[in-house]
Amino acid sequence: MLRPILTILAATAFLSGCAAISALSGAATPLESYDLQAPADGPVARSSLARQLVVEVPSAPGGLMTDRIMIRPRPLQAQYLTDGQWSAETPEMMQTLIVRTLEDSNGLRYVGRRPLGSFGDYVLISELTDMQAEAAPAGQGANIRVRLTARLVRESDASVLSTRTFNVTYPVASTDTIVLVEGFNAATQIMLKDLSGWVLNTLGLRVG
């Protein structure tokens, strides 16, 4: 009786080991990485200010504090694409895109991350509350949603010059990863152009 039991246990252990190795192999498979681009046709200031603008990393809920690409099959369900990821964590990627867009506007002497131990004239503080692909109500394709609330603060007295929420929904016809990423890129560029124009107008700069 002992030999059959040992044989069964050995076979079970072998199958379990194979499953574990398979899982580890799948986990080790690298995901494709994707970048988003700052808009090439963003607002450009007609004049410039000799001022510095510091762009802080946007705050975000825990589900977005990752380089994974979020999808929502249902309104209360959050998942991530299994075959793709961002090239950086979502808030850091958004900070880079904001900096590039505002740099390209030529409206300020300096736009960037906060230099160590220094202060800017203004600081852009933001919260990224949505950055996901949502299942379309009709069951085909998806809607890309990007929502960011921004506050422009004067650092000398910590006064809030203006606050605005930017909310973009962009439909895509397919749920293929590359189509979703292209949709994220389009939606983010719309938001970035609106954000840049708002910053320039708040600082009294005319946009050409």
Side-chain angles (χ1 to χ4, degrees):
M1 292 293 292
L2 184 59
R3 181 180 295 274
I5 293 174
L6 290 175
T7 302
I8 293 171
L9 290 175
T12 302
F14 175 77
L15 292 174
S16 298
C18 289
I21 292 172
S22 177
L24 288 173
S25 177
T29 302
L31 301 178
E32 291 288 341
S33 291
Y34 296 94
D35 281 316
L36 299 183
Q37 298 177 328
D41 57 345
V44 176
R46 293 185 180 180
S47 59
S48 62
L49 290 175
R51 296 289 186 269
Q52 299 182 40
L53 173 65
V54 172
V55 178
E56 299 283 7
V57 178
S59 61
L64 292 177
M65 297 293 289
T66 176
D67 59 1
R68 302 300 300 276
I69 302 173
M70 181 181 284
I71 56 176
R72 287 192 180 276
R74 298 178 181 84
L76 300 181
Q77 182 181 19
Q79 297 180 351
Y80 300 100
L81 289 182
T82 58
D83 58 350
Q85 64 183 4
W86 300 126
S87 59
E89 289 195 359
T90 305
E92 294 176 0
M93 178 179 66
M94 186 60 68
Q95 180 194 33
T96 298
L97 292 169
I98 293 171
V99 168
R100 289 178 181 172
T101 305
L102 288 169
E103 279 181 332
D104 291 344
S105 74
N106 298 322
L108 293 150
R109 180 178 64 188
Y110 170 83
V111 179
R113 297 165 176 81
R114 186 180 298 279
L116 184 62
S118 67
F119 294 90
D121 298 294
Y122 305 101
V123 58
L124 184 65
I125 301 171
S126 60
E127 181 180 11
L128 184 65
T129 50
D130 289 297
M131 183 77 172
Q132 70 263 348
E134 302 173 350
Q140 294 183 346
N143 290 316
I144 306 299
R145 185 180 300 279
V146 179
R147 186 177 188 273
L148 181 133
T149 298
R151 293 174 178 82
L152 189 60
V153 178
R154 183 169 55 217
E155 290 225 282
S156 61
D157 58 2
S159 61
V160 177
L161 302 181
S162 184
T163 300
R164 183 172 166 184
T165 296
F166 303 87
N167 194 357
V168 177
T169 301
Y170 190 89
V172 293
S174 167
T175 56
D176 292 344
T177 295
I178 188 61
V179 175
L180 292 176
V181 170
E182 289 171 349
F184 274 109
N185 195 56
T188 301
Q189 289 194 1
I190 293 170
M191 186 275 292
L192 290 169
K193 287 190 281 189
D194 289 345
L195 173 69
S196 181
W198 166 74
V199 169
L200 296 176
N201 289 329
T202 301
L203 296 179
L205 292 168
R206 296 179 64 189
V207 175

Short mmCIF file of all heavy atoms in Angstrom, two decimals, residues 15-56:
data_model
loop_
_atom_site.label_atom_id
_atom_site.label_comp_id
_atom_site.label_asym_id
_atom_site.label_seq_id
_atom_site.Cartn_x
_atom_site.Cartn_y
_atom_site.Cartn_z
N LEU A 15 3.79 17.64 -10.59
CA LEU A 15 2.87 18.53 -11.27
C LEU A 15 2.84 19.90 -10.63
O LEU A 15 2.78 20.93 -11.31
CB LEU A 15 1.46 17.92 -11.27
CG LEU A 15 1.30 16.66 -12.13
CD1 LEU A 15 -0.10 16.06 -11.93
CD2 LEU A 15 1.54 16.98 -13.61
N SER A 16 2.89 19.93 -9.27
CA SER A 16 2.91 21.21 -8.56
C SER A 16 4.16 21.99 -8.92
O SER A 16 4.14 23.20 -9.12
CB SER A 16 2.84 20.98 -7.05
OG SER A 16 1.63 20.33 -6.70
N GLY A 17 5.28 21.26 -9.00
CA GLY A 17 6.53 21.91 -9.37
C GLY A 17 6.48 22.48 -10.76
O GLY A 17 6.95 23.59 -11.02
N CYS A 18 5.89 21.74 -11.69
CA CYS A 18 5.75 22.23 -13.06
C CYS A 18 4.90 23.49 -13.11
O CYS A 18 5.19 24.44 -13.83
CB CYS A 18 5.14 21.17 -13.96
SG CYS A 18 6.25 19.78 -14.30
N ALA A 19 3.81 23.50 -12.33
CA ALA A 19 2.92 24.67 -12.29
C ALA A 19 3.66 25.87 -11.74
O ALA A 19 3.51 26.99 -12.24
CB ALA A 19 1.68 24.36 -11.45
N ALA A 20 4.46 25.64 -10.69
CA ALA A 20 5.21 26.74 -10.08
C ALA A 20 6.23 27.30 -11.06
O ALA A 20 6.39 28.51 -11.20
CB ALA A 20 5.89 26.28 -8.81
N ILE A 21 6.94 26.39 -11.76
CA ILE A 21 7.93 26.84 -12.74
C ILE A 21 7.25 27.61 -13.86
O ILE A 21 7.74 28.64 -14.32
CB ILE A 21 8.70 25.63 -13.31
CG1 ILE A 21 9.58 25.01 -12.21
CG2 ILE A 21 9.54 26.03 -14.51
CD1 ILE A 21 10.22 23.71 -12.60
N SER A 22 6.08 27.13 -14.31
CA SER A 22 5.35 27.82 -15.36
C SER A 22 4.93 29.21 -14.92
O SER A 22 5.02 30.17 -15.68
CB SER A 22 4.12 27.00 -15.75
OG SER A 22 3.34 27.68 -16.71
N ALA A 23 4.46 29.33 -13.67
CA ALA A 23 4.05 30.63 -13.15
C ALA A 23 5.23 31.59 -13.07
O ALA A 23 5.12 32.76 -13.42
CB ALA A 23 3.40 30.47 -11.77
N LEU A 24 6.37 31.07 -12.60
CA LEU A 24 7.56 31.91 -12.51
C LEU A 24 8.02 32.34 -13.89
O LEU A 24 8.44 33.47 -14.10
CB LEU A 24 8.69 31.16 -11.79
CG LEU A 24 8.51 30.97 -10.29
CD1 LEU A 24 9.61 30.06 -9.74
CD2 LEU A 24 8.54 32.31 -9.57
N SER A 25 7.94 31.44 -14.85
CA SER A 25 8.34 31.77 -16.21
C SER A 25 7.46 32.86 -16.79
O SER A 25 7.93 33.79 -17.43
CB SER A 25 8.27 30.52 -17.09
OG SER A 25 8.58 30.83 -18.43
N GLY A 26 6.14 32.75 -16.53
CA GLY A 26 5.23 33.78 -17.02
C GLY A 26 5.46 35.12 -16.37
O GLY A 26 5.41 36.16 -17.01
N ALA A 27 5.77 35.10 -15.05
CA ALA A 27 6.02 36.34 -14.33
C ALA A 27 7.29 37.00 -14.81
O ALA A 27 7.44 38.22 -14.74
CB ALA A 27 6.08 36.06 -12.83
N ALA A 28 8.24 36.20 -15.29
CA ALA A 28 9.52 36.75 -15.72
C ALA A 28 9.47 37.30 -17.15
O ALA A 28 10.41 37.95 -17.59
CB ALA A 28 10.60 35.68 -15.62
N THR A 29 8.38 37.03 -17.88
CA THR A 29 8.27 37.53 -19.25
C THR A 29 8.15 39.05 -19.23
O THR A 29 7.23 39.59 -18.62
CB THR A 29 7.04 36.93 -19.94
OG1 THR A 29 7.14 35.51 -19.93
CG2 THR A 29 6.94 37.43 -21.37
N PRO A 30 9.07 39.77 -19.88
CA PRO A 30 9.01 41.23 -19.83
C PRO A 30 7.81 41.77 -20.59
O PRO A 30 7.41 41.24 -21.63
CB PRO A 30 10.33 41.65 -20.49
CG PRO A 30 10.70 40.50 -21.38
CD PRO A 30 10.20 39.27 -20.67
N LEU A 31 7.22 42.86 -20.07
CA LEU A 31 6.10 43.50 -20.73
C LEU A 31 6.62 44.54 -21.71
O LEU A 31 7.69 45.12 -21.51
CB LEU A 31 5.20 44.18 -19.69
CG LEU A 31 4.58 43.30 -18.61
CD1 LEU A 31 3.76 44.15 -17.65
CD2 LEU A 31 3.72 42.21 -19.21
N GLU A 32 5.86 44.77 -22.75
CA GLU A 32 6.20 45.86 -23.67
C GLU A 32 6.02 47.19 -22.93
O GLU A 32 5.04 47.39 -22.21
CB GLU A 32 5.28 45.83 -24.89
CG GLU A 32 5.52 44.65 -25.82
CD GLU A 32 6.81 44.78 -26.61
OE1 GLU A 32 7.33 45.91 -26.71
OE2 GLU A 32 7.30 43.75 -27.11
N SER A 33 6.98 48.11 -23.10
CA SER A 33 6.90 49.42 -22.45
C SER A 33 6.48 50.48 -23.47
O SER A 33 6.92 50.45 -24.63
CB SER A 33 8.26 49.80 -21.84
OG SER A 33 8.56 48.97 -20.74
N TYR A 34 5.64 51.41 -23.01
CA TYR A 34 5.11 52.44 -23.89
C TYR A 34 5.35 53.82 -23.28
O TYR A 34 5.27 54.01 -22.07
CB TYR A 34 3.62 52.24 -24.13
CG TYR A 34 3.30 50.95 -24.87
CD1 TYR A 34 2.97 49.79 -24.16
CD2 TYR A 34 3.33 50.89 -26.25
CE1 TYR A 34 2.68 48.61 -24.83
CE2 TYR A 34 3.04 49.71 -26.93
CZ TYR A 34 2.71 48.57 -26.21
OH TYR A 34 2.43 47.41 -26.87
N ASP A 35 5.64 54.79 -24.16
CA ASP A 35 5.78 56.19 -23.78
C ASP A 35 4.61 56.98 -24.33
O ASP A 35 4.05 56.64 -25.37
CB ASP A 35 7.07 56.79 -24.36
CG ASP A 35 8.30 56.40 -23.57
OD1 ASP A 35 8.25 56.44 -22.33
OD2 ASP A 35 9.31 56.04 -24.20
N LEU A 36 4.26 58.06 -23.64
CA LEU A 36 3.34 59.05 -24.18
C LEU A 36 4.16 60.28 -24.59
O LEU A 36 5.26 60.50 -24.08
CB LEU A 36 2.27 59.42 -23.16
CG LEU A 36 1.37 58.28 -22.68
CD1 LEU A 36 0.31 58.79 -21.72
CD2 LEU A 36 0.72 57.56 -23.85
N GLN A 37 3.62 61.07 -25.50
CA GLN A 37 4.35 62.21 -26.04
C GLN A 37 3.67 63.52 -25.68
O GLN A 37 2.44 63.61 -25.66
CB GLN A 37 4.47 62.10 -27.55
CG GLN A 37 5.25 60.89 -28.02
CD GLN A 37 5.29 60.78 -29.54
OE1 GLN A 37 4.34 61.18 -30.22
NE2 GLN A 37 6.37 60.25 -30.07
N ALA A 38 4.49 64.55 -25.40
CA ALA A 38 3.95 65.90 -25.24
C ALA A 38 3.45 66.39 -26.59
O ALA A 38 3.99 66.01 -27.64
CB ALA A 38 5.04 66.83 -24.71
N PRO A 39 2.42 67.23 -26.62
CA PRO A 39 1.88 67.68 -27.91
C PRO A 39 2.88 68.54 -28.67
O PRO A 39 3.55 69.40 -28.09
CB PRO A 39 0.64 68.48 -27.50
CG PRO A 39 0.89 68.89 -26.08
CD PRO A 39 1.68 67.78 -25.48
N ALA A 40 2.95 68.32 -29.96
CA ALA A 40 3.83 69.12 -30.81
C ALA A 40 3.20 70.46 -31.18
O ALA A 40 3.90 71.37 -31.64
CB ALA A 40 4.19 68.34 -32.07
N ASP A 41 1.89 70.59 -30.99
CA ASP A 41 1.17 71.80 -31.37
C ASP A 41 0.53 72.47 -30.16
O ASP A 41 -0.58 73.02 -30.26
CB ASP A 41 0.11 71.46 -32.42
CG ASP A 41 -0.88 70.40 -31.93
OD1 ASP A 41 -0.59 69.74 -30.92
OD2 ASP A 41 -1.95 70.24 -32.57
N GLY A 42 1.22 72.44 -29.03
CA GLY A 42 0.69 73.08 -27.82
C GLY A 42 0.74 74.60 -27.90
O GLY A 42 1.35 75.17 -28.81
N PRO A 43 0.10 75.29 -26.95
CA PRO A 43 0.09 76.75 -26.95
C PRO A 43 1.50 77.32 -26.83
O PRO A 43 2.35 76.77 -26.13
CB PRO A 43 -0.74 77.09 -25.70
CG PRO A 43 -1.50 75.85 -25.38
CD PRO A 43 -0.66 74.71 -25.83
N VAL A 44 1.74 78.44 -27.51
CA VAL A 44 3.03 79.13 -27.45
C VAL A 44 2.77 80.57 -27.03
O VAL A 44 1.91 81.25 -27.61
CB VAL A 44 3.75 79.09 -28.81
CG1 VAL A 44 5.06 79.90 -28.74
CG2 VAL A 44 4.04 77.65 -29.21
N ALA A 45 3.52 81.04 -26.04
CA ALA A 45 3.34 82.40 -25.52
C ALA A 45 3.92 83.43 -26.49
O ALA A 45 4.96 83.20 -27.11
CB ALA A 45 4.00 82.53 -24.15
N ARG A 46 3.25 84.57 -26.62
CA ARG A 46 3.74 85.65 -27.48
C ARG A 46 4.86 86.43 -26.80
O ARG A 46 5.63 87.13 -27.46
CB ARG A 46 2.59 86.59 -27.83
CG ARG A 46 1.53 85.96 -28.72
CD ARG A 46 0.50 86.99 -29.13
NE ARG A 46 -0.52 86.40 -29.99
CZ ARG A 46 -1.55 87.09 -30.50
NH1 ARG A 46 -1.66 88.39 -30.24
NH2 ARG A 46 -2.43 86.49 -31.27
N SER A 47 4.93 86.35 -25.48
CA SER A 47 5.99 86.99 -24.72
C SER A 47 6.41 86.03 -23.62
O SER A 47 5.86 84.93 -23.50
CB SER A 47 5.52 88.33 -24.14
OG SER A 47 4.39 88.13 -23.29
N SER A 48 7.39 86.41 -22.82
CA SER A 48 7.86 85.50 -21.77
C SER A 48 8.07 86.26 -20.46
O SER A 48 8.26 87.49 -20.46
CB SER A 48 9.15 84.81 -22.19
OG SER A 48 10.18 85.75 -22.39
N LEU A 49 8.04 85.51 -19.37
CA LEU A 49 8.31 86.04 -18.04
C LEU A 49 9.64 85.50 -17.53
O LEU A 49 9.93 84.32 -17.72
CB LEU A 49 7.20 85.63 -17.06
CG LEU A 49 5.81 86.25 -17.23
CD1 LEU A 49 4.85 85.60 -16.23
CD2 LEU A 49 5.87 87.75 -17.00
N ALA A 50 10.41 86.35 -16.89
CA ALA A 50 11.67 85.91 -16.28
C ALA A 50 11.37 85.29 -14.92
O ALA A 50 11.81 85.78 -13.88
CB ALA A 50 12.63 87.08 -16.17
N ARG A 51 10.59 84.23 -14.95
CA ARG A 51 10.15 83.58 -13.72
C ARG A 51 10.40 82.07 -13.82
O ARG A 51 10.56 81.53 -14.92
CB ARG A 51 8.66 83.83 -13.47
CG ARG A 51 8.31 85.30 -13.24
CD ARG A 51 8.81 85.77 -11.90
NE ARG A 51 8.37 87.13 -11.59
CZ ARG A 51 9.05 88.22 -11.89
NH1 ARG A 51 10.22 88.12 -12.54
NH2 ARG A 51 8.60 89.41 -11.58
N GLN A 52 10.39 81.43 -12.66
CA GLN A 52 10.60 79.99 -12.61
C GLN A 52 9.32 79.29 -12.17
O GLN A 52 8.66 79.73 -11.23
CB GLN A 52 11.71 79.64 -11.60
CG GLN A 52 13.06 80.23 -11.94
CD GLN A 52 14.12 79.82 -10.95
OE1 GLN A 52 14.14 78.66 -10.52
NE2 GLN A 52 14.99 80.74 -10.59
N LEU A 53 9.00 78.21 -12.85
CA LEU A 53 7.83 77.39 -12.50
C LEU A 53 8.30 75.99 -12.17
O LEU A 53 8.94 75.32 -12.99
CB LEU A 53 6.83 77.34 -13.66
CG LEU A 53 5.65 76.38 -13.47
CD1 LEU A 53 4.76 76.84 -12.31
CD2 LEU A 53 4.82 76.28 -14.75
N VAL A 54 7.99 75.56 -10.96
CA VAL A 54 8.32 74.20 -10.53
C VAL A 54 7.08 73.33 -10.69
O VAL A 54 5.98 73.70 -10.25
CB VAL A 54 8.78 74.19 -9.05
CG1 VAL A 54 8.94 72.77 -8.55
CG2 VAL A 54 10.09 74.96 -8.91
N VAL A 55 7.24 72.20 -11.33
CA VAL A 55 6.14 71.25 -11.53
C VAL A 55 6.35 70.07 -10.58
O VAL A 55 7.32 69.31 -10.72
CB VAL A 55 6.09 70.75 -12.99
CG1 VAL A 55 4.96 69.73 -13.15
CG2 VAL A 55 5.90 71.92 -13.94
N GLU A 56 5.48 69.94 -9.61
CA GLU A 56 5.58 68.83 -8.66
C GLU A 56 5.02 67.54 -9.29
O GLU A 56 4.21 67.60 -10.22
CB GLU A 56 4.78 69.14 -7.38
CG GLU A 56 5.27 70.37 -6.62
CD GLU A 56 6.53 70.11 -5.82
OE1 GLU A 56 7.11 69.01 -5.96
OE2 GLU A 56 6.95 71.00 -5.06
#
